[in-house]
């Protein structure tokens, strides 16, 4: 009986997370580039972020330094340090920056992690054909929320 309750609860939580997910084309940015509501409809899980920010889908450390991930080698110096990010930016601002930093910093070299149109990607494997295979964002809505949750924890010492 206990296992059945847990399975039903897990299904409800999973359903709630996807029910509120926002598609990349439906994201609403504020005037300064922030995104006020969760993209996934669920809170971020900060513990998932290091894998995303490592050399995986996000590869944040290729451009940014962050002390909390100092065990991962080869941090970049192109972008600002992420130490203290949770003190510098609000949750909505961080969500906007991770999803599409160009909405806040025009001309930023940071990739738009939650965008599927309005740019060219090299090669057929990355460009997609909207009629057949629509592009997927570089990060999922939940991955964005996970990274935001992690960055919010990075406070100035």
């Amino acid at each position: 009986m206990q296992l059945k309750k847990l399975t039903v609860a897990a299904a409800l939580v999973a359903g709630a997370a996807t029910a509120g997910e926002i598609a990349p084309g439906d994201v609403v940015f504020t005037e300064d580039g922030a995104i006020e509501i969760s993209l996934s409809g669920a809170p971020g899980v900060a513990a998932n972020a290091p894998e995303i920010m490592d050399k995986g889908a996000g590869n944040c450390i290729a451009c940014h330094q962050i002390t909390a991930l100092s065990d991962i080698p080869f941090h970049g110096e192109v972008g600002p340090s992420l130490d203290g990010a949770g003190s510098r930016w609000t949750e909505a601002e961080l969500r906007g920056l991770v999803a599409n930093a160009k909405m806040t910093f025009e001309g930023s070299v940071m990739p738009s992690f939650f965008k599927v149109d309005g740019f060219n990607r090299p090669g057929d494997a990355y460009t997609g054909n909207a009629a057949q295979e629509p592009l997927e964002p570089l990060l999922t809505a939940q991955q964005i929320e996970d990274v935001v949750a992690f960055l919010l924890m990075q406070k100035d010492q």
Side-chain angles (χ1 to χ4, degrees):
M1 186 67 167
Q2 187 78 16
L3 181 59
K4 185 175 181 178
K5 285 182 183 179
L6 289 175
T7 304
V8 170
L12 289 173
V13 169
T18 58
E21 190 167 310
I22 297 172
D26 295 333
V27 174
V28 176
F29 290 89
T30 65
E31 186 176 299
D32 62 348
I35 302 171
E36 297 290 340
I37 61 172
S38 169
L39 296 173
S40 68
V45 179
N48 294 340
E51 183 177 334
I52 299 163
M53 296 173 73
D54 189 359
K55 295 174 182 61
N59 199 14
C60 305
I61 64 163
C63 295
H64 298 277
Q65 295 181 16
I66 182 165
T67 302
L69 300 179
S70 62
D71 60 321
I72 302 170
F74 308 117
H75 289 226
E77 297 179 355
V78 174
S81 171
L82 298 178
D83 289 345
S87 296
R88 290 193 306 271
W89 294 295
T90 67
E91 179 178 359
E93 290 167 336
L94 285 168
R95 187 177 293 112
L97 288 168
V98 176
N100 187 353
K102 291 161 184 62
M103 299 298 289
T104 302
F105 301 113
E106 187 177 340
S108 172
V109 297
M110 185 165 159
S112 299
F113 287 101
F114 202 66
K115 184 175 177 180
V116 294
D117 59 15
F119 53 81
N120 293 321
R121 289 184 179 170
D124 292 339
Y126 300 101
T127 302
N129 180 337
Q132 297 172 2
E133 295 180 37
L135 288 175
E136 295 291 326
L138 295 173
L139 294 179
T140 66
Q142 189 58 51
Q143 287 173 318
I144 299 270
E145 295 304 322
D146 294 347
V147 170
V148 168
F150 181 80
L151 292 174
L152 280 170
M153 294 172 49
Q154 309 310 308
K155 302 288 186 178
D156 287 332
Q157 300 295 327

